[in-house]
Amino acid sequence: MSEQVDTRAAIPRSDRVRLRRKRERGSYDRSVIDAILDEALIAHLGIVAADGQPFVIPTLHARSGDVVYCHGSSASRTMRALAAGAPACLTVSLIDGLVLARAAMHHSANYRSVMLIGKAGLVEDVDEKRAALQAVVEHIVPGRWEDVRAPSDNELKATTVLAIPLEEASAKVRSGEPLDDEEDYALPTWAGVIPLTSEPHAPEPDPRLPVDIAPPAYVTGYRRPGSPRPRR
């Protein structure tokens, strides 16, 4: 199997997100970028503080149309810095396999990743804030929002919601077999790919959950968009 990479619409929106190395693995196509953002559960949000110290924090996110929403405590240093206009870099990564080559330096991984650069806008409108938090919950577990208590006014006040526009973004994807030096193919060493998937296990009920409350279908049949269906 040869390495397959979707490079449609291979024109970056800015030079800041243009791939410098392994350009054949890059894509600036929104359908590719959106699919990776929608499948990933965890994003890493990076900023540089006023004193020059960089910070990178893991966060839950959700894409809604042309923006990516992030949220956190209103007391968070990172949230305050972003709300004040600090430039941001958000990344997500999905690992699909470990690539074992015949040479140590040609080992790799099959992955899909996105990098998004921009300034985050503070979401102050209450209706948009609720909609953004709903998007985050639905991104994590589709169908969950309708079954849970909505955020209270106090919870909304204690939470900062930010929107990063999907204007400067790029995807990078590797797939396929190892790429060894020609002379190394004769080595008596196993080479190939160990596929990796994110697969849910059986749900574990809260100890305080009444026994007559059964898990809903979105729990028993949980899967990420684009991921293989769980084995039973």
Side-chain angles (χ1 to χ4, degrees):
M1 183 176 66
S2 61
E3 188 172 15
Q4 300 292 323
V5 177
D6 190 332
T7 56
R8 293 174 297 165
I11 302 174
R13 291 291 299 271
S14 78
D15 197 55
R16 298 197 300 173
V17 293
R18 185 188 302 274
L19 272 70
R20 266 61 174 182
R21 295 189 65 257
K22 301 291 185 181
R23 296 182 182 181
E24 70 279 5
R25 297 180 183 172
S27 177
Y28 309 99
D29 183 84
R30 272 294 302 275
S31 66
V32 176
I33 292 167
D34 289 358
I36 296 170
L37 287 169
D38 292 349
E39 183 174 344
L41 277 172
I42 301 293
H44 287 86
L45 188 58
I47 66 164
V48 177
D51 62 0
Q53 172 64 51
F55 291 93
V56 179
I57 60 169
T59 182
L60 297 170
H61 71 286
R63 181 188 66 85
S64 180
D66 295 329
V67 300
V68 174
Y69 288 117
C70 299
H71 75 292
S73 168
S74 296
S76 163
R77 169 175 50 190
T78 302
M79 292 292 110
R80 292 200 307 267
L82 288 166
C89 178
L90 181 140
T91 64
V92 302
S93 300
L94 298 166
I95 185 164
D96 297 318
L98 302 177
V99 181
L100 279 60
R102 295 161 181 85
M105 296 304 293
H106 289 315
H107 281 63
S108 187
N110 286 336
Y111 62 88
R112 291 164 288 151
S113 63
V114 164
M115 181 178 72
L116 170 62
I117 292 174
K119 288 191 175 182
L122 178 63
V123 177
E124 298 182 279
D125 179 80
V126 174
D127 290 337
E128 184 184 357
K129 200 171 186 179
R130 288 184 186 276
L133 294 172
Q134 178 177 353
V136 172
V137 171
E138 288 293 302
H139 172 72
I140 300 168
V141 183
R144 184 63 173 168
W145 183 263
E146 293 300 323
D147 286 352
V148 298
R149 177 180 64 79
S152 67
D153 290 342
N154 286 337
E155 288 172 330
L156 287 176
K157 290 177 183 177
T159 303
T160 294
V161 175
L162 302 170
I164 306 175
L166 263 167
E167 295 175 353
E168 295 182 79
S170 61
K172 194 173 183 181
V173 177
R174 191 209 188 274
S175 62
E177 68 277 1
L179 300 175
D180 276 305
D181 295 336
E182 190 59 38
E183 60 270 21
D184 289 339
Y185 284 95
L187 294 173
T189 303
W190 189 91
V193 176
I194 302 174
L196 297 176
T197 60
S198 179
E199 185 173 305
H201 291 228
E204 299 177 358
D206 185 328
R208 296 182 62 177
L209 185 74
V211 294
D212 60 339
I213 299 181
Y218 58 71
V219 170
T220 56
Y222 183 80
R223 63 189 294 266
R224 298 305 301 155
S227 64
R229 292 194 177 277
R231 293 172 293 186
R232 298 301 182 195

